[in-house]
Amino acid sequence: MIRIKTYKPLRPGGKKRKRLALVFLLFLLTTQFLNVYGVQRFPKPEFESGYFQPETLQPAGRAEMLAIMDVFFLVLSLAIVTWLVLKKRSRTGVFWMSLASLAYFGFYRQGCVCSIGAIQNMTLALFDKSYVLPLSAIAFFILPLIVTLFFGRTFCAGVCPFGAMQDLVSFNPQKAGPKLNTVLGLIPYIYLGLAVLYAATGTDFIICRYDPFVGIFRFNASFGMFIFAGALLISGIFIARPYCRFLCPYGVLLNWVSRFSWKHLTITPAQCIQCRLCEDSCPYDAIDMPVTGKNPEIRTATLRKMILICLLIPFFTVLGGWTGSQLHETLAGVNGKVRLSRALLQPAQTTGQPESIEITAFKSSGKPVSQLYAETSLLLKKFYTGGWVLGCFLGLVFGITLAYRMVTTYKTDYTPNKGACFSCARCVDFCPVTLNNNTPKLT
Amino acid sequence: MEEPENNPKFNRRKFFATGLRASFLLGIGGVAALVAKRSIAGGMVWQLDPAKCVQCGRCATNCVMAPSAVKCVHVYAMCGYCDLCGGYFKPETKTLTTAAENQLCPVNAIKRKFVEDPFFEYTIEEPLCIGCGKCVKGCGSFGNGSLQLQVRHNICVNCNHCSIARNCPSDAFSRLPASQPYLLRQVSVENQITAKTPGR
């Protein structure tokens, strides 16, 4: 239709030319349709033998009811596990629930959609107004967070299939030590930051892409992912739940929220008697030991520490932000559009390499190059801002982690670290205190 | 202004904890409310647009399922029932027989059946099809384009992010509401135009 509008008006008296032009126009229109739509070159035959033309089948996907059932099972298992952890204080119960979750969310639902991946759906929905997300993705993101806000990370204990999988293989857990725990514990923040950045720019869902366990649930994985999953499970024999502690981005959110939880699993049902029986019970190094050193610190020294912390945190935040912004072109290199633009901008190939499929496909799509470049420059701007935000976030996390290592909090009892504790209830079995027989005397 | 430290009912620590808990709850609820408007109960599924597809062959190799959940789908209403089918025979074929060396399909998934002179019916045996798109390319180049690649939702596990989509060179994959999960091109031109209109 555009061709009609751009057609120049004819001079008067040229009726023949007008008709010719019309024919030409019609021809142009038909060829255009031929190119774009591939009009039938061979008309459908009129059958005389009574041939019945079969219908093209369009099998439907998973029923809507089943998505509702997933959410129902999520709520149900969250409720049961929370009850088992906080009321029944039963490790055995949590174990069987985690097996059930592994069977349902893992092997039956094949790990999709999961709470960890739902971070990206939520991010993309916040940044891309045209993205429509399934209601179950919102439920899977929100519900564990809310439960954690009230009762601690019971989701990790017995609902998450990833955690259940790793819990099964942790035969001989070793202590990693606070230093290693702190350093490796920074990785999830990086992973979360990158996942949010790439989801917000509509680049990729990296959590799903590098999901080690989904291949196991589907009995089908690429070689690289198979090696990754194998390495995680084998190291999981000695380092309990390596993915949860040192990779899981959703664990970061749960950690934050769990610190302010209303109720939380306690090692002892009543009063801690300092018997030290639970000291080595936690495979995740999530029990905070009592710190009772009552030597008062020197006032000037603590003041100096305080000033140092107050300077270090903003310093690392700005430094991180600046580094992130400098890296934005590298970060953007993952984006397909950015890669395509770079490939197109490369000087004409001298090495007789065949043109990549991407370039051929782009040329055949008829989209103007200028439009692609405009989109790419917009994307690069987003990555620049995103680089700043990501860098600031990581710098802040690094600064706060350092500050945490510098300060000492005094406490008298053995308590689970509310942030790191998965509420698996292993420690509960080690505590000799019972609720009825309050504080037995150690002799 | 200090709260009494020894009062177990209400102290500064508890006050901050309650405040933070409330703000977390508000934050989580707020984020959920922001995106809930654009959510859909039935969920979304992945589908590829045959109009954008360039038949690069990556559907066969990039799907998490083996064989791929992308299959060749035959829109019979568009088919010309040709004897010399561009989707069935290799271009250099001399004799129009069902001999293996003549067939374009690497896995023998297209069945050719005589209907009446000179027409033949072609049927895709989907369990065999690997979604390589060779026949789709042949049919689109020489025929009516009635063979089209589509994600089959009885096989697709509906990954959160389709692993074919991220490798598709022509950006043909998109999320569709699960109630209308197919993007097949139909025969009439009007239908094709509506199918091409953005925001379908």
Side-chain angles (χ1 to χ4, degrees):
Chain A
M1 292 303 154
I2 294 163
R3 277 171 209 282
I4 297 170
K5 277 180 189 163
T6 52
Y7 192 73
K8 279 180 193 160
L10 288 161
R11 262 174 271 140
K15 209 170 186 184
K16 221 177 196 177
R17 278 173 74 180
K18 203 170 179 179
R19 194 167 292 163
L20 242 164
L22 246 167
V23 170
F24 178 66
L25 196 79
L26 271 173
F27 174 72
L28 265 182
L29 273 171
T30 23
T31 46
Q32 200 188 16
F33 277 129
L34 254 176
N35 288 339
V36 180
Y37 305 113
V39 121
Q40 271 189 301
R41 293 188 176 102
F42 307 99
K44 204 180 116 189
E46 279 167 23
F47 297 107
E48 287 155 2
S49 58
Y51 164 74
F52 178 72
Q53 182 182 289
E55 206 163 305
T56 307
L57 295 175
Q58 302 192 8
R62 215 165 160 262
E64 193 176 317
M65 260 314 288
L66 293 176
I68 300 168
M69 196 170 82
D70 289 344
V71 178
F72 172 74
F73 273 114
L74 176 72
V75 173
L76 189 72
S77 49
L78 275 172
I80 295 177
V81 172
T82 306
W83 175 74
L84 283 171
V85 169
L86 292 180
K87 275 274 173 229
K88 287 287 279 184
R89 300 171 59 79
S90 158
R91 170 64 203 157
T92 328
V94 174
F95 173 75
W96 286 111
M97 261 317 287
S98 77
L99 275 193
S101 299
L102 180 65
Y104 184 79
F105 295 111
F107 288 100
Y108 169 63
R109 288 297 299 122
Q110 309 203 315
C112 251
V113 53
C114 77
S115 299
I116 309 171
I119 298 173
Q120 304 160 122
N121 298 65
M122 295 295 283
T123 314
L124 184 60
L126 283 176
F127 284 88
D128 182 358
K129 298 281 174 262
S130 65
Y131 171 61
V132 180
L133 80 169
L135 213 56
S136 57
I138 302 183
F140 269 76
F141 180 76
I142 297 289
L143 291 174
L145 279 177
I146 291 177
V147 170
T148 305
L149 189 59
F150 284 96
F151 305 108
R153 296 170 70 171
T154 51
F155 169 76
C156 300
V159 184
C160 180
F162 291 16
M165 186 103 204
Q166 294 170 85
D167 238 19
L168 278 182
V169 297
S170 63
F171 296 115
N172 187 11
Q174 305 291 320
K175 286 216 178 298
K179 276 179 195 159
L180 199 61
N181 267 325
T182 314
V183 173
L184 292 179
L186 288 171
I187 303 172
Y189 292 94
I190 303 171
Y191 199 8
L192 174 70
L194 285 174
V196 168
L197 176 70
Y198 285 132
T201 51
T203 304
D204 200 350
F205 280 12
I206 58 167
I207 299 173
C208 300
R209 184 173 200 165
Y210 300 110
D211 183 339
F213 299 111
V214 82
I216 297 175
F217 297 147
R218 290 174 181 159
F219 302 112
N220 190 351
S222 68
F223 182 70
M225 289 321 287
F226 177 73
I227 293 291
F228 182 31
L232 269 179
L233 286 183
I234 290 170
S235 63
I237 298 174
F238 308 105
I239 312 159
R241 292 202 185 208
Y243 184 87
C244 307
R245 284 156 77 194
F246 307 131
L247 276 170
C248 182
Y250 195 59
V252 171
L253 303 180
L254 290 175
N255 184 318
W256 289 342
V257 168
S258 179
R259 279 164 199 266
F260 305 103
S261 62
W262 176 56
K263 291 263 157 74
H264 195 277
L265 168 81
T266 52
I267 300 173
T268 167
Q271 194 73 43
C272 178
I273 53 167
Q274 320 282 333
C275 65
R276 298 181 59 197
L277 282 174
C278 63
E279 211 172 64
D280 293 325
S281 67
C282 185
Y284 316 116
D285 300 345
I287 294 180
D288 286 337
M289 307 292 165
V291 184
T292 47
K294 269 296 166 202
N295 307 336
E297 286 176 87
I298 308 156
R299 201 178 162 78
T300 47
T302 40
L303 193 67
R304 211 173 293 141
K305 221 189 241 177
M306 182 76 193
I307 293 169
L308 189 64
I309 287 172
C310 288
L311 287 176
L312 271 183
I313 291 178
F315 171 72
F316 279 122
T317 310
V318 175
L319 182 74
W322 181 79
T323 317
S325 69
Q326 293 305 301
L327 285 172
H328 79 277
E329 291 209 352
T330 319
L331 289 169
V334 178
N335 190 292
K337 240 174 219 166
V338 176
R339 266 199 315 229
L340 179 62
S341 305
R342 280 181 190 162
L344 281 168
L345 278 172
Q346 259 169 10
Q349 260 141 13
T350 47
T351 54
Q353 264 181 343
E355 198 179 55
S356 75
I357 303 174
E358 278 82 2
I359 294 180
T360 319
F362 175 74
K363 283 179 181 164
S364 72
S365 75
K367 186 174 160 182
V369 186
S370 55
Q371 193 190 336
L372 177 78
Y373 289 163
E375 283 171 14
T376 305
S377 70
L378 194 71
L379 261 173
L380 280 175
K381 265 183 208 146
K382 278 186 190 167
F383 268 100
Y384 182 75
T385 323
W388 263 106
V389 176
L390 171 68
C392 284
F393 168 70
L394 292 180
L396 187 69
V397 165
F398 187 68
I400 292 176
T401 310
L402 265 190
Y404 249 88
R405 299 274 305 155
M406 283 165 81
V407 297
T408 332
T409 27
Y410 296 104
K411 52 197 283 300
T412 48
D413 295 344
Y414 285 89
T415 47
N417 182 312
K418 277 171 96 178
C421 173
F422 295 124
S423 297
C424 72
R426 277 193 181 83
C427 50
V428 167
D429 291 344
F430 287 81
C431 186
V433 180
T434 51
L435 203 55
N436 310 330
N437 182 16
N438 220 345
T439 57
K441 281 234 164 73
L442 280 184
T443 46
Chain B
M1 292 295 284
E2 266 186 32
E3 308 288 346
E5 286 277 333
N6 296 331
N7 182 358
K9 282 262 164 66
F10 197 79
N11 58 28
R12 195 172 359 167
R13 192 172 274 264
K14 272 191 181 168
F15 173 72
F16 278 126
T18 314
L20 273 164
R21 201 177 304 132
S23 45
F24 264 121
L25 200 61
L26 270 175
I28 298 168
V31 168
L34 266 179
V35 297
K37 279 181 291 182
R38 271 178 285 115
S39 70
I40 181 169
M44 304 291 276
V45 292
W46 288 94
Q47 192 50 273
L48 78 103
D49 186 352
K52 287 184 185 168
C53 174
V54 292
Q55 297 94 36
C56 63
R58 289 189 189 170
C59 287
T61 51
N62 279 300
C63 185
V64 295
M65 303 300 286
S68 173
V70 172
K71 304 281 178 200
C72 173
V73 173
H74 195 181
V75 183
Y76 293 98
M78 273 178 89
C79 183
Y81 291 82
C82 315
D83 186 6
L84 172 55
C85 172
Y88 187 81
F89 292 111
K90 284 182 185 164
E92 67 269 20
T93 304
K94 299 269 185 330
T95 53
L96 301 183
T97 64
T98 57
E101 69 269 20
N102 292 342
Q103 289 185 28
L104 200 55
C105 180
V107 289
N108 191 23
I110 309 179
K111 295 286 169 275
R112 174 177 148 102
K113 200 179 94 190
F114 176 74
V115 181
E116 62 183 67
D117 202 40
F119 303 125
F120 287 84
E121 184 199 66
Y122 298 92
T123 320
I124 312 290
E125 253 184 57
E126 285 191 14
L128 294 179
C129 178
I130 55 168
C132 65
K134 287 198 168 88
C135 57
V136 179
K137 192 162 211 151
C139 180
S141 316
F142 306 114
N144 289 348
S146 62
L147 296 176
Q148 297 166 19
L149 285 179
Q150 286 286 283
V151 176
R152 285 314 219 178
H153 294 296
N154 50 345
I155 304 164
C156 174
V157 289
N158 202 16
C159 297
N160 201 2
H161 196 288
C162 175
S163 72
I164 311 173
R166 72 166 64 101
N167 290 305
C168 177
S170 54
D171 211 9
F173 276 75
S174 58
R175 294 179 176 91
L176 288 186
S179 48
Q180 289 176 326
Y182 288 94
L183 270 180
L184 284 164
R185 283 196 292 172
Q186 296 301 329
V187 66
S188 79
V189 175
E190 291 97 316
N191 281 353
Q192 283 161 13
I193 289 172
T194 43
K196 283 280 285 183
T197 320
R200 55 190 163 256

